[in-house]
Amino acid sequence: MPARDEWDPRRLPNQSGKVFLVTGGSRGIGYFAAEQLAGAGARVVIAARDEARARRAISAIERRIDGAEIGFLPLDLASPASVRAAGESVAEWERLDGVAANGAITWGPRRRQLTPEGLELTLATNHVGHFLLAATAWPALARTAGSRWVGMTSMATMFAPADASALNSDHDYSGGRAYALSKHAVQGFAWELNRRLRESGSSSIALAAHPGYSADGLTAARAGVTPRPPAFERWLAFGAQGKNHGATPLVRALTDPGARGGELYAPAWWVKGPPVPLTPRAASARPEFGRELWRLSERWAATEFRP
Ligand SMILES: NC(=O)c1ccc[n+]([C@@H]2O[C@H](COP(=O)([O-])OP(=O)(O)OC[C@H]3O[C@@H](n4cnc5c(N)ncnc54)[C@H](OP(=O)(O)O)[C@@H]3O)[C@@H](O)[C@H]2O)c1
């Protein structure tokens, strides 16, 4: 086992025999997380709403990694019916070692949009969809010793206070604020889930990860998967890192044998760098926030979740 400060993202522990689900694995950071996990020998299932895009991602991984085992699961995080169907099929799997809860709207729309269920779209996609996925897929994680749930959060949380009563953006909507609030919910859920897992004596853990600032313009090219942004985007992304590097905190949280529930994995120099474990300091790490978030999430997802 590598020492905690000697993690090399290019030399992951062998993941043969393990199964991971990556939401939003059809492109961006999720794609590279799927590629890195498959490269370490894991079976990976890409859960995505656009099947054609997901198939291009799967082909790209298969071209790079001999014998890669990659599957596809239809999942639209904004649609409770889609999430429920996906979660119920995952619940039947023999094992599930980890979920990368990565798929997201990465900035809320200019005007507040509601789902048919009356939820603000960014919150519904980034958090409520993942909460419902966890609740419905949990039997597979519960039957896999040491399984992990990793919520993909963002430094953007610093732009909005962690206020559970504000999460649905009923007042003062802006796309950036809705995104920041949704990420308080994503990370608060992971840490509250971990507290509940400890209380129930489960061997599963839950953690969060963030990718710093990971820009398309600096990302390693993958035919059919990565966009080719104009040159000025590379310039704008000065000081950032590519999405291939942005995936490494997520992948470390899923695979580091020394990872502990309740941690936050992030780039060493905050916006970029090798992935390191941190102790969360955000207000969304507090148990009071987690308890209220859980109560609201059960209502929003119309589902009880007792892990
Ligand atoms: N890039 C950064 O600097 C940065 C910084 C902080 C946090 N993050 C977080 O890291 C994660 C990945 O970001 P990224 O930069 O890779 O974003 P991205 O390139 O925009 O990819 C987002 C992924 O989420 C999927 N997605 C969006 N809405 C969905 C829905 N309703 N159902 C299912 N999948 C959906 C997208 O699928 P489609 O292809 O179907 O749209 C895509 O696969 C996100 O959680 C983001 O908030 C990123």
Side-chain angles (χ1 to χ4, degrees), residues 73-76 79-93 132-133 136-137:
L73 179 74
L75 173 73
D76 181 346
S79 157
S82 165
V83 177
R84 211 172 267 286
E88 284 170 1
S89 86
V90 172
E92 304 291 320
W93 295 359
L132 182 57
L133 181 66
T136 46

Side-chain angles (χ1 to χ4, degrees), residues 14-257:
N14 188 345
Q15 301 297 305
S16 305
K18 292 194 177 179
V19 180
F20 294 96
L21 181 72
V22 181
T23 73
S26 53
R27 63 187 168 97
I29 291 168
Y31 166 81
F32 285 99
E35 184 188 288
Q36 289 164 23
L37 291 165
R43 169 167 169 72
V44 182
V45 177
I46 288 180
R49 59 184 170 171
D50 182 330
E51 179 163 1
R53 190 172 278 163
R55 298 276 171 213
R56 286 199 295 277
I58 290 170
S59 302
I61 294 174
E62 288 170 342
R63 280 195 301 274
R64 294 184 69 81
I65 298 160
D66 279 347
E69 276 192 79
I70 314 277
F72 165 69
L73 179 74
L75 173 73
D76 181 346
L77 287 162
S79 157
S82 165
V83 177
R84 211 172 267 286
E88 284 170 1
S89 86
V90 172
E92 304 291 320
W93 295 359
E94 260 173 44
R95 67 180 301 147
L96 176 56
D97 296 88
V99 175
N102 163 83
I105 296 177
T106 51
W107 200 257
R110 203 160 62 83
R111 289 180 195 282
R112 185 170 183 261
Q113 286 181 29
L114 298 183
T115 63
E117 294 71 36
L119 292 176
E120 188 280 315
L121 182 64
T122 318
L123 178 76
T125 305
N126 298 1
H127 168 61
V128 183
H130 280 123
F131 180 89
L132 182 57
L133 181 66
T136 46
W138 197 258
L141 288 148
R143 73 172 70 93
T144 311
S147 62
R148 300 178 182 192
W149 177 272
V150 183
M152 189 60 147
T153 186
S154 169
M155 293 185 296
T157 48
M158 70 177 76
F159 299 125
D163 174 359
S165 70
L167 291 174
N168 199 36
S169 295
D170 296 310
H171 308 287
D172 305 325
Y173 178 85
S174 77
R177 184 167 176 274
Y179 177 66
L181 288 168
S182 78
K183 291 296 176 177
H184 274 301
V186 166
Q187 64 187 28
F189 169 53
W191 296 323
E192 177 64 16
L193 174 57
N194 189 61
R195 281 189 286 272
R196 291 180 187 224
L197 292 170
R198 302 288 64 75
E199 277 165 21
S200 71
S202 168
S203 70
S204 303
I205 61 172
L207 324 78
H210 85 69
Y213 174 22
S214 301
D216 283 322
L218 301 177
T219 297
R222 297 289 184 269
V225 179
T226 48
R228 266 178 267 158
F232 75 89
E233 276 197 28
R234 278 179 177 269
W235 183 82
L236 282 178
F238 178 75
Q241 61 183 356
K243 294 192 177 184
N244 44 317
H245 294 296
T248 61
L250 179 59
V251 171
R252 182 167 181 181
L254 287 165
T255 60
D256 184 343

